[in-house]
Amino acid sequence: MSQVEYYLLFLKRKLNDIPFQVWTYKHYQNERNLLYSSGNKEPLSPPLHNCQEETTTFRIKKQSDKHLIFFYYPDGNQVCVCIYRPYIVLTNEEIEYLYNFLSLPLLKEIIQEKDIELNNVIDSFRSLTSSLDLNEVLEKIINNALKVIPAADAGFLLLYDHSTERLIPKSPVGFNQNIYHLKMKVGESITGKVFEDGIGRIFNSKKGLFDEMKLNNISKENYYYITSAAKKTEAAMCVPISIDDKRIGVMIIHQWYKKKVLVEHDLMLLQGFATQAAIAIQNAQFYSKANQRLIEITKLSNQLKEKNTLLQKRHDVHAALTNISLQNNGVETIVLEINQMIQPSVSFLNVLDNMFYSDNSIQAPLSIYEIKKILSNKRQPLHVEIIEQSIKKYFLYPIYNGTVLLGCLIMNETVPISNSDQMTLEQGCSILALELLKKQTITEIFYKKTHEQFESLLNYQDAHQLARQAKEIGLNASSHWVITVFEIPNYSDLQLLEIQIHQLISKIKKQLQTEEKLIYGFNNKIIILISIPEPDNFNHIYSIFQSIRKGWEKSDNPPFRGGISTIYKGLENIKKCYDEANKALSYLANQNRTEIFRFEDIGLNRLFLNQSFEEIEQFINEIFSPLWSAHDRNKDLEKTLLTYIKNNRSATKTADKLHIHINTLYQRIKKIEDLLQLELNNNEDALRIQLACHLRETYHHLLV
């Protein structure tokens, strides 16, 4: 027989046929339960009340036709025995006995609940310590908190973020996504206040909960987020999460439906759980930091291994390419060796010699002009796209010596370039730069030696010596010879000028196929001594020179001018050829023209080659200045004189050309003679005028 059945049997025997009812009330659940009813009486709802202020163990209340005996137990629990008689049928001793009897099942139920509670706490602690992943730990904290406090329906954590100085929501259960927008200041609302003072709080009414939120100045934004993220909250409980004396956050649980009244015991239980949760959070944070450090150390270790591998490969690549360079196998061999080391294939454009090197027969995807244009403001390697029939991607690795572009490695970028391949390109560029500079130095030595040989030919003493010297350098002294001198007049960077002279010589050598020639660079000039089997063949060479000049200037290179001598038979005329070429060059310089000009085309102007432009200008002004009026230059008289002389002093042709009457022409000629104080019929005066007009036409572009 159970204890409940025993005290019910006790009441039945004492009360005989008197009807009675037994009601129980659990304060924390806020509910009444009819345990037993005898007779045919309707179940009543006894006026159970708050017994927290009661000091006795029981109290008897009399009504018209019945007596109510209230038994008061710890934690606010009550039992009410309703006896339907207007007088008391039980003695005080029997009531005391009944009180003790009724307390036994309540105590047993409390013990069972405490056992369940303890098991939940132990299971929760075990669950918290089973993981070191911070996000997983935070999620377990809330789920287990709801197990420890079964009356709660939802909850979330707020952890303090030092960077924003706000409490940030973590691992919400029972809330929608709006909860993540919540950002609480310290001291704001319930959670901020609990974090600030470290005191847990219970709210068993919706009014009390929202009044406290407003009392602590919750912002409009946070109020919206918390109310829109939660259901209709009936009760809540909030506790701080602390490690020693340092608070790291708060935990709050909500009750959507009134299952039970939250009491101080629940608060203490949640606070104890929060303390263990803080330790779990700290452990997870320690693990996360340690794991992050391990990841960083592992990453650094892998980077060091990769760098060590790259350094070793750099050493191997440098050693291999240096060995090839020391063997004087040339640029092409170095490029082929680089192609053996990396994928995809690499090509090299030698800007100095305008040569393209590749391990296959493909054409250069970019010209020197295009590469210079792309790299005009860029010194570092870069990626480019060329749109032809399809989009092709290339990786350009330029090689510079100071400000001068020596060459460029070109990789067809079908796949991303690895660090290893990029390192190989770096080493390849260094070796190629050294190789090109070495070749440039050798070229300079060659030019210097060639210049000495040319000077020796110019200063020959006799025909036998000249023939012997010519034979030593592979020239036939009896052939027809012509000398061309090219000059780059405008330059500012001597190093760049040296490269440009070399590039121009490379172009000339490439297109000038004649075997007997001597060509070299000297300062800003290029001297070319060419053997011509037949004088008539020179027109072809002249056209080659013109083509080179147009292509050179079209590629955005500095303009150059050239002077060409007359063709002479026999090398003994070399000095005359050289002088004529320089005179043709001087003629162009005096007129500030950049073109290629033959000495024989200078004509009458060769008489003035040794005259400065200032002297020529003075002579022209002396002749024409009397024709200029004080208020304006009289263009009619000057134009008439120039046209008259150009038409070989024919009055009819001049009048027709000027569209004037012939009498008007005669009047103008007379006025010109008066102003110039000469007579055009006088041979000496006519010669002066013809010479002045000729010089006026020749130097018109330089005259102000």
Side-chain angles (χ1 to χ4, degrees), residues 563-599:
I564 303 175
S565 73
T566 307
I567 301 171
Y568 292 97
K569 180 173 175 59
L571 201 55
E572 61 271 15
N573 295 300
I574 185 172
K575 189 171 181 58
K576 187 185 296 185
C577 287
Y578 188 57
D579 289 341
E580 289 182 358
N582 281 310
K583 286 179 179 179
L585 204 61
S586 297
Y587 173 73
L588 293 174
N590 286 338
Q591 298 191 55
N592 197 25
R593 291 156 60 185
T594 53
E595 55 188 83
I596 299 174
F597 205 76
R598 299 184 186 186
F599 177 78

Side-chain angles (χ1 to χ4, degrees), residues 502-533:
H502 179 74
Q503 290 174 339
L504 189 51
I505 289 175
S506 296
K507 287 181 177 292
I508 295 170
K509 284 183 175 180
K510 190 174 182 180
Q511 296 192 39
L512 201 60
Q513 300 298 325
T514 177
E515 294 182 1
E516 282 191 278
K517 64 178 179 290
L518 187 148
I519 179 171
Y520 70 95
F522 184 72
N523 295 332
N524 66 327
K525 294 181 179 180
I526 297 172
I527 292 87
I528 311 169
L529 174 63
I530 311 171
S531 171
I532 300 177

Side-chain angles (χ1 to χ4, degrees), residues 406-423:
L406 301 178
C408 184
L409 282 170
I410 305 171
M411 176 183 283
N412 190 349
E413 198 174 1
T414 55
V415 294
I417 301 173
S418 67
N419 291 335
S420 176
D421 286 349
Q422 189 160 344
M423 183 275 303

